[in-house]
Structures are given as structure tokens and as C-alpha cells.
Amino acid sequence: MRIDGTVALVTGGGSGLGAATARALAGRGARVAILDVNVGHGEAVASEIGGHFARCDVADPASAAEALASSRAALGTPGILVNCAGIGTAARVVGRDGPMPLDAFERVVRANLIGTFNMIRLVAAEMSVAAPGPNGGRGVIIATASVAAFEGQIGQAAYAASKGGIAALTLPVARELARFGIRVLTIAPGLFKTPLLAELPEETQAALASAIPYPSRLGEPAEFAQLVIAMIENDYLNGEIVRLDGALRMQSK
């Protein structure tokens, strides 16, 4: 799929993997809309790349619909959606204070899994009625899972479940949307130098990096964005989950 001139939506585009993806897409000539709950960060990235910003809570149907309407009015119908918005938490199923609060589990699943599906359903509906491209394609949707979807660690029950759900969505949604010429893909990143990890002490970052076979370092957000670009441009790639982790396999804790 051609990126130049295509409207691209990036959720969580105000920082980390999303910001790197937005910059990469803009660098390829896409018209980029940043969708984020953090207004300050989102507006800053949008201003930097000459894009559009819309505040968006991806798990809220009304907020997402308003953000899409704003982006459509400013840029046009989207041909690319990259879901990077998400949250993480650490809590044991049974901890010192008893069972994990159910609302803590629900909050993570709602933000990560339901938020991803909410954006997929809304954007796919818009893509499905757009004019097809030269090869019959109408769009590409990319979600962000995690290696925790496959090797969740102790304390990651909520996060692993939410990311595992995203991985499980990939093939059935790709099969369903194939008739519209919409491809659906997922990236499962390992340990990346996101704002959260970048704030950790150098020795902590080094300890995390030592578990990665090669290259033994945290991933750079630009490397995530590079894979997004490759996925969009390769028309034969569909319904696939790609690990981006330096051969990392997470231990139990």
C-alpha cells in the first residue's frame, strides 16, 4: 500500500511507540492524525509533524467517534490505523492484601483490548466504503500486542490477558475484513525504550537488556515504526502477528 498521501490515524501518538510511528508515517508523506488522551503531548507531536490532533479515549465509543469525525473533517477518510494506545499495571492475582481488585483487571482490559477493538470497528467501517486502491486495497490496520501475550510474567495477569486478546483478534478480523480489501496485522514488541522504561536507572535498564539475546539492548521506538512502515507497504502480509523482541523469551518473573 502506498503511504504517501494516505490519511493515517495513530492512537497513543503523543509519546513512545505511537509518536515514533507518527513521525515515520509523516516522513513517508502520510497525513497523520494523532489520537491521544494526553492533550499536551498529542498536540506537540501533531505540531511537530504538521498533523492533526484529536483528544481520544480509545475505550469510550463517543470519544473515539468524535476523534474520528474531527480527523476526517481535517484530513479525509483514513487508510491506515495504528493502535499504540494502552496502559500497563502490575498486580498479583492473590497478593498481600488478598485478591486482586476486579476493577484493576477490568481497567487494563478495557483500555488495551476493548480500546483496540473499538478503534478497529469504527475505522474499518469508514475504510470499507472508501474507494479501493489500484490493487483493490482500502486500508491497513495494525495493533500493538506484547510478548507478554505469550509469556506473561507473575503480576501480569491483566496486561497479558489484554495483549493476548489483541493477538487472538488478529486472524478472525483479518479474515472478516478481507472482503473489503482491509489488511489486519499485529506487532508484539518486547522491551522497548518507552518513556516509562527510559525513566528507570541505567543499571535497571542494563539488567533488562541483558536478558535479550541479540541485540542485547532495549528496542528503539524508531525500530517499531520501521516495522509498521514495512507492514503497510507489503500487500501480501495479512492476518499475522510479528514479534519484535531480539529473540527475547520472558521468564516467569
Side-chain angles (χ1 to χ4, degrees):
M1 180 178 178
R2 182 182 177 87
I3 296 176
D4 186 25
T6 300
V7 176
L9 308 181
V10 182
T11 72
S15 63
L17 303 180
T21 297
R23 292 183 181 106
L25 287 167
R28 290 296 188 106
R31 291 175 288 164
V32 182
I34 305 292
L35 278 55
D36 205 304
V37 291
N38 190 312
V39 175
H41 289 171
E43 288 182 338
V45 175
S47 176
E48 173 193 335
I49 65 175
H52 173 74
F53 171 74
R55 186 191 179 281
C56 180
D57 176 351
V58 294
D60 183 298
S63 175
E66 290 173 6
L68 288 179
S70 170
S71 300
R72 187 191 321 112
L75 304 176
T77 301
I80 297 168
L81 168 65
V82 185
N83 286 301
C84 293
I87 62 173
T89 189
R92 290 177 179 252
V93 177
V94 180
R96 294 176 181 174
D97 299 322
M100 177 183 180
L102 186 59
D103 60 353
F105 185 91
E106 289 177 337
R107 185 173 64 90
V108 176
V109 171
R110 181 166 184 79
N112 295 353
L113 177 56
I114 295 177
T116 293
F117 180 75
N118 187 37
M119 296 306 301
I120 289 174
R121 73 182 184 94
L122 294 173
V123 175
E126 295 197 5
M127 289 179 174
S128 69
V129 295
N135 297 320
R138 286 187 169 91
V140 179
I141 295 173
I142 299 175
T144 303
S146 166
V147 295
F150 312 104
E151 300 118 33
Q153 297 182 298
I154 292 171
Q156 285 188 329
Y159 184 74
S162 69
K163 295 299 187 177
I166 291 171
L169 276 176
T170 307
L171 184 57
V173 177
R175 285 171 163 170
E176 180 178 339
L177 299 184
R179 66 192 179 101
F180 299 117
I182 300 171
R183 294 186 290 118
V184 180
L185 298 153
T186 292
I187 299 174
L191 298 175
F192 271 71
K193 195 178 291 183
T194 58
L196 180 63
L197 287 184
E199 291 176 0
L200 296 176
E202 288 294 332
E203 57 269 24
T204 303
Q205 293 188 40
L208 291 171
S210 67
I212 303 170
Y214 183 79
S216 295
R217 58 171 174 78
L218 300 180
E220 295 289 344
E223 292 171 315
F224 177 92
Q226 184 180 15
L227 180 55
V228 169
I229 297 296
M231 284 180 155
I232 294 169
E233 293 182 334
N234 191 328
D235 286 339
Y236 204 61
L237 191 60
N238 192 16
E240 188 58 79
I241 304 161
V242 179
R243 293 182 65 127
L244 187 63
D245 58 18
L248 172 68
R249 296 299 179 268
M250 302 288 282
Q251 301 301 308
S252 64
K253 59 182 178 179

